[in-house]
Amino acid sequence: MSEKVLMKGNEAIAEAAIKAGCRYYFGYPITPQTEVAAYMSKRMPKIGGTFLQAESEIAAINMVIGVSSTGKRVMTSSSSPGVSLKSEGISYLAGCDLPALVVNVQRGGPGLGGIQPSQSDYFQATKGGSHGDYHNIVLAPSSVSEMAMLTAKGFNLADKYRMVCMILADGTMGQMMEPVAIDDIVIEEVEKPWALTGTNCARPRNIVNSLYLKPEQLEQKNFERFEKYKKVEENEVMYESYMMDDAEICIVSFGITSRVSKNAIVTARAKGIKVGMIRPITLWPFPKKPILDAADKVKAFITVEMNMGQMIQDVELAERCKKPVYLCNRTGGMIPSPEEVLASIEKVNGGEN
Amino acid sequence: MDKLKRVTLFAGHYGSGKTNVAVNYALKLKKEGYDVAIADLDIVNPYFRTKDSQKELEGNGIKLISSLYAGSNVDLPALPAEIYSLVDIHDRYAIFDIGGDDRGATALGRYADAIKEEDDYELLLVVNKFRPLSRTPELLLEIMHEIETTANMKFTGIVNDSNLGTETTAKDVLDSVPFAEKVSEMAGIPVRFTTVTQNIYDEVKDRIRDLMVIHLQDKIV
């Protein structure tokens, strides 16, 4: 195991991407993710990689399409408004079945919003976010070391399924510093016979394209793509179960709010309230089954989110409205405090909701 | 250390702990009876700022000069004109918290001439050997020269702030001393002090010279 270093979440993403074999980064600065680009600008030239600050987010995502077409590992990163700009390109990546890693270090919105952390791009990330029938794989880290680990995992998943994998973090995750040892990164090599590598006149040419002139063909392509998505849903769900064995209240929370929730759970437990948490690590595919299973054991769910209530809809769908689901939230760049989460737990425990 | 210079400036690599050191240093000087003010010159980091310690600083009678926009939702690299009052009026001690790397040092450039003319300053390089892009003395020297070029000022000393946040052990601090000394030797400037948190102070106090006890800025998670 290598020695620990003190890293920001954004830097951990960048270093893990390099260790995962990514040598192409295209981006455009935006707070609070700029350290990803800053780190890449220092490191890439030293290892023969490419760092390019594009003229815009739209240009950057189209450069990602270009490099991905050649079969190389490539990434871009941004924060909420910048990801909206990239969304057209993300749909094209999906339509071309191209792998790529896209990082969203979320800030408050809508519009220009603000630079403080938020989780209000949950809908955008998990429901597609751009046009057409498609999904991205969405990973939600809750520590600096998970920022690194999931970045590396994200490249492997993207290659394996020829999909966009998105790291959905937030400003706090990007800016916070924690000791981390970035090792144990496994590059799962995948054959890419579809890549545009030059035929050398030895094989038929490959075409990377998302345009289908005949609707029958496009329908067929979408059917095939959703067969693939089904496999992702069957095989790639990740979540953490925390103190759920005897829990009567189940918190569902991801990213930074799951850490706040853990503090609140410890305090609530000390007061004798049986509360636990399911922390989705994959937001798509969403951990439906553990939540449905929990619905038979707990009396209520609480989602803790930094938005006006987005993931709560997926929780309600997953548990099929068997038990009530309450929302504990802040928005606009505010982070719920452990005391606020505790108050919510106590309220639900007392049946006052 | 010799007689305290009127102006102390903390600069260095992004994330090396400059703000935390600057805040703690201001509190220390105040406790020792100096009339001190602190200016936040960070135009790089939008999140963790001197302003986060506003209550503690002002509660201790330390004047804080900071951007109106620090800690707000506005991402504007603006500096208040009031900073000149610390540069041009020499009636109190001043601490400057400079933003990270050469980009952060850009802000210092515009005050450099006046500070050099007064010639009563220390420009301290804050180093943390546990930061990934300053793991070796060579990398640190590279960063140091970039900052000096941009700021148009030379460093006069080193602050060894090597730490792994709340996980820092006495061994980590002890291990960092030869590193800081190597940087000192290569740069030709002395190590002014090494920082240590209270919980490990006793373990290292007999083995490291010039220790400064610091506490970390509060975080909620």
Side-chain angles (χ1 to χ4, degrees), chain A residues 3-8 11 31-32 35 38-39 42-43 46 114-117 171-172 175-177 179 256 260 263 332 335, chain B residues 14-15 45-48 71-75 101-103 128-133 135 139 142 146 163-165 167 220-221:
Chain A
E3 212 183 343
K4 280 189 175 180
V5 289
L6 189 63
M7 290 188 108
K8 285 201 167 212
E11 295 169 338
T31 304
E35 293 82 5
Y39 195 93
K42 290 256 184 204
R43 286 277 279 132
K46 291 182 177 170
I115 62 170
Q116 300 297 331
T172 319
Q175 296 293 327
M176 70 193 293
M177 293 178 87
I256 191 69
V260 178
N263 287 342
I335 304 174
Chain B
Y14 190 66
N45 190 336
Y47 268 53
F48 300 126
S72 81
N73 250 341
V74 184
D75 197 5
D101 293 337
D102 48 339
R103 287 179 286 263
N128 180 355
K129 82 173 272 249
F130 297 105
R131 289 284 291 147
L133 295 185
R135 297 284 282 150
L139 284 168
E142 211 177 287
E146 285 167 4
N163 76 87
L164 280 166
E167 286 185 26
I220 67 156
V221 283

Side-chain angles (χ1 to χ4, degrees), chain A residues 48-155:
Chain A
T50 297
F51 162 84
L52 200 153
Q53 180 173 323
E55 65 269 38
S56 70
E57 286 87 349
I58 298 170
I61 193 73
N62 280 283
M63 291 171 189
V64 169
I65 294 173
V67 169
S68 181
S69 301
T70 71
K72 304 287 188 194
R73 287 193 161 181
V74 57
M75 73 176 287
T76 186
S77 63
S78 193
S79 178
S80 309
V83 173
S84 291
L85 285 166
K86 290 182 199 291
S87 63
E88 181 194 50
I90 291 171
S91 174
Y92 278 66
L93 283 160
C96 297
D97 297 301
L98 288 172
L101 190 88
V102 176
V103 177
N104 182 0
V105 184
Q106 299 167 90
R107 54 189 257 178
L112 199 51
I115 62 170
Q116 300 297 331
S118 106
Q119 297 174 334
S120 53
D121 304 343
Y122 178 90
F123 282 156
Q124 184 193 49
T126 60
K127 312 299 174 196
S130 188
H131 61 280
D133 276 321
Y134 79 99
H135 279 292
N136 299 325
I137 295 171
V138 184
L139 306 177
S142 74
S143 68
V144 173
S145 94
E146 234 178 45
M147 290 282 249
M149 196 267 279
L150 292 180
T151 295
K153 171 108 184 164
F155 276 108

Side-chain angles (χ1 to χ4, degrees), chain B residues 103-186:
Chain B
R103 287 179 286 263
T106 310
L108 176 56
R110 76 192 224 197
Y111 309 104
D113 284 344
I115 293 169
K116 284 191 290 191
E117 196 185 311
E118 183 194 358
D119 196 20
D120 191 11
Y121 70 93
E122 278 258 44
L123 175 57
L124 299 178
L125 176 70
V126 180
V127 307
N128 180 355
K129 82 173 272 249
F130 297 105
R131 289 284 291 147
L133 295 185
S134 61
R135 297 284 282 150
T136 66
E138 289 75 16
L139 284 168
L140 243 169
L141 247 63
E142 211 177 287
I143 294 167
M144 183 183 114
H145 291 312
E146 285 167 4
I147 294 172
E148 287 182 335
T149 306
T150 309
N152 194 21
M153 286 179 81
K154 293 276 184 205
F155 282 102
T156 59
I158 290 165
V159 174
N160 178 19
D161 186 47
S162 296
N163 76 87
L164 280 166
T166 49
E167 286 185 26
T168 314
T169 63
K171 183 176 180 302
D172 292 331
V173 179
L174 291 169
D175 286 352
S176 72
V177 172
F179 174 85
E181 280 167 358
K182 181 76 192 166
V183 176
S184 159
E185 183 195 318
M186 288 169 69

Side-chain angles (χ1 to χ4, degrees), chain B:
Chain B
M1 216 185 286
D2 312 326
K3 180 188 160 297
L4 179 69
K5 304 283 186 194
R6 194 190 69 80
V7 177
T8 308
L9 309 108
F10 295 96
H13 179 39
Y14 190 66
S16 57
K18 297 170 297 297
T19 296
N20 202 52
V21 171
V23 167
N24 278 279
Y25 193 69
L27 291 165
K28 174 176 133 57
L29 291 190
K30 185 73 195 180
K31 210 173 277 176
E32 290 169 5
Y34 293 99
D35 180 18
V36 61
I38 184 167
D40 178 1
L41 253 65
D42 194 341
I43 54 166
V44 179
N45 190 336
Y47 268 53
F48 300 126
R49 304 283 298 250
T50 321
K51 204 169 183 174
D52 297 340
S53 301
Q54 185 167 13
K55 267 189 198 158
E56 186 178 15
L57 288 165
E58 291 177 353
N60 280 284
I62 297 168
K63 187 176 172 59
L64 165 67
I65 300 177
S66 171
S67 165
L68 188 62
Y69 307 109
S72 81
N73 250 341
V74 184
D75 197 5
L76 207 62
L79 294 171
E82 202 185 354
I83 288 173
Y84 280 109
S85 71
L86 294 186
V87 178
D88 295 336
I89 306 170
H90 303 165
D91 63 350
R92 69 170 107 187
Y93 289 86
I95 290 165
F96 287 83
D97 175 21
I98 317 293
D101 293 337
D102 48 339
R103 287 179 286 263
T106 310
L108 176 56
R110 76 192 224 197
Y111 309 104
D113 284 344
I115 293 169
K116 284 191 290 191
E117 196 185 311
E118 183 194 358
D119 196 20
D120 191 11
Y121 70 93
E122 278 258 44
L123 175 57
L124 299 178
L125 176 70
V126 180
V127 307
N128 180 355
K129 82 173 272 249
F130 297 105
R131 289 284 291 147
L133 295 185
S134 61
R135 297 284 282 150
T136 66
E138 289 75 16
L139 284 168
L140 243 169
L141 247 63
E142 211 177 287
I143 294 167
M144 183 183 114
H145 291 312
E146 285 167 4
I147 294 172
E148 287 182 335
T149 306
T150 309
N152 194 21
M153 286 179 81
K154 293 276 184 205
F155 282 102
T156 59
I158 290 165
V159 174
N160 178 19
D161 186 47
S162 296
N163 76 87
L164 280 166
T166 49
E167 286 185 26
T168 314
T169 63
K171 183 176 180 302
D172 292 331
V173 179
L174 291 169
D175 286 352
S176 72
V177 172
F179 174 85
E181 280 167 358
K182 181 76 192 166
V183 176
S184 159
E185 183 195 318
M186 288 169 69
I189 48 176
V191 178
R192 288 293 185 212
F193 56 89
T194 295
T195 64
V196 62
T197 46
Q198 187 67 55
N199 57 321
I200 51 180
Y201 172 75
D202 283 340
E203 282 180 74
V204 301
K205 67 170 192 259
D206 299 327
R207 299 166 69 181
I208 303 176
R209 278 181 302 146
D210 303 320
L211 278 172
M212 183 173 95
V213 177
I214 59 166
H215 68 269
L216 305 175
Q217 285 178 291
D218 288 337
K219 308 273 163 60
I220 67 156
V221 283

